[in-house]
Amino acid sequence: MYNLYLVTLFTFLIHLTSFGQAPPPQATPPAQTDVSERVRQLEENQRFADQGLAKSVDDLLWYQKLGDVAVIDKVRYASKPPHVIKNPTGQGANNPVVIPAYTFVSRKFASTKKLPLLIFVHDGIHGDFSTLYAHVVRELIDQGYMILAPEYRGSVGYGGAFYNQIDYGDYENDDVLAGKRWAVENMPQVDADRVGIIGWSHGGMITLMNIFDHPEDYKVAYAGVPVTDIIARLGYKPASYRTIFSAATHIGKDPSDNVAEYRRRSPVWNAQKLKTPLLIHTNTNDEDVNVLEVESLINALKAHEKKFEYKIYQDAPGGHSFNRLDTKLARESREEIYKFLAKYLTPPAAVK
C-alpha cells in the first residue's frame, strides 16, 4: 500500500511540474511520411498516365481529321543527352534523348519529286503538337509544304522522365534543329534548299533562336506572339512561374544569380545575329506574352539595322491565340504568313 502511495504521489508531482507547459512536439510517424510520399507519387504517376492517354487519343484524331488529305507518320530521332545527368557514370547516362515528331505530306503532292519543308514548332513550355493545329496543317499541306513537327523535350504525353527534361530556351532548340536535319537526310522529297521554320509563343522563341544560331539551316521564318526576353517575362509573371526556371532540373539559378545565362537564351539579346528573312506578329491585348516584350525585339532588330517584317495587331479578338482561331481575321493573318513564306520557299500551290 505504501509503495502504491509513493507511485501516486510521484505521478502527481510530475503532472504538477509540467502544468502550463506546451506538450513536446510529436514527430511524424515514419509510416505516415511513407504514405504521404506514396500518395504524391501515385498522383504524379496518374497525371502522367492521363497525359499519355490524351496523347494517344489525339494521335488517332490526326488520322481522323487529316487522313483523307495527308500521309501522316510519327517518327523518332536522336538529339542531345539530358541537360542534367544525375549519375554521369551510370549505364547509358549520356545517351541522346529520343525525340518523337509528326510528319505530314499532302496526298496531292505525293508524287512530286521535291517539296519545301516547314519545321512547325508547337507552343507551350510543357505543350505538345495537338490537333488544335489541324486546320493550320491542312492549309499548309494544301499549298504543297511537307511538315515536320517535333515534340521536343518537355512535351506532354511521354511520361515523367521526358516531361522533366525541359530546358527552357536551350536544349529544346537543339531538338528542333536535329529534327530539321533528320528530315533533310531521311525524307527523300525534302528540298534541302527550301526549308523554313514557324512557331507561336514558346514555339516562336525556339524559331527565333534556331535562325539566330543556325541561319544556314533555314530559308525563312515566322514567329507569332513569340517569347523574346526571359528576364522581362519573369518580371511580370507570378512567383510560382518564376521558381520553375531556377529549379535544379531547369536553368538552376534565377536571373539575379546568372543574368548572362538568361540573356543567352533570350532572342532579344541575340537580335544582332539575324540573317534569315523573318516575319513577326504580335497583338496589343495578348494575355500571355506582353506586347512590350515583342516590341523590345522589334526595336533591337531595328537598332542592329536588320531587315525583317512585322505587324502589331491592335486588340485583335483572341489575344494570344488571335491568328490561330477559325475567324475571318485569323484566316487573313495566316494568309499574310503564307504569302511571306511562299516568297522564299515557292510551294507548288502557293496562296495568291
Side-chain angles (χ1 to χ4, degrees), residues 139-140 143 145 198 200 220-222 278-282 309-313 322-323 328-344 351-352:
E139 291 169 354
L140 288 168
Q143 296 170 59
Y145 290 107
I198 65 172
W200 278 265
V220 65
Y222 169 74
L278 170 65
L279 172 63
I280 301 170
H281 280 162
T282 188
E309 296 184 29
Y310 72 94
K311 184 171 182 179
I312 300 174
Y313 285 79
F322 79 97
N323 65 350
K328 183 175 183 292
L329 182 146
R331 289 190 293 273
E332 290 173 348
S333 180
R334 291 200 297 274
E335 279 192 13
E336 295 174 15
I337 301 168
Y338 302 154
K339 289 176 180 178
F340 179 78
L341 296 174
K343 287 191 295 184
Y344 303 94
V351 171
K352 303 297 183 183

Side-chain angles (χ1 to χ4, degrees), residues 259-306:
V259 68
E261 182 62 19
Y262 281 79
R263 284 184 173 184
R264 185 182 71 82
R265 298 173 184 233
S266 298
V268 71
W269 296 99
N270 291 271
Q272 73 280 3
K273 300 177 183 177
L274 179 66
K275 295 179 181 178
T276 307
L278 170 65
L279 172 63
I280 301 170
H281 280 162
T282 188
N283 188 11
T284 56
N285 63 359
D286 191 324
E287 74 285 1
D288 188 331
V289 179
N290 194 298
V291 67
L292 296 176
E293 191 179 333
V294 186
E295 287 177 333
S296 293
L297 174 65
I298 291 169
N299 292 334
L301 290 168
K302 289 179 178 179
H304 289 290
E305 299 181 342
K306 297 298 181 179

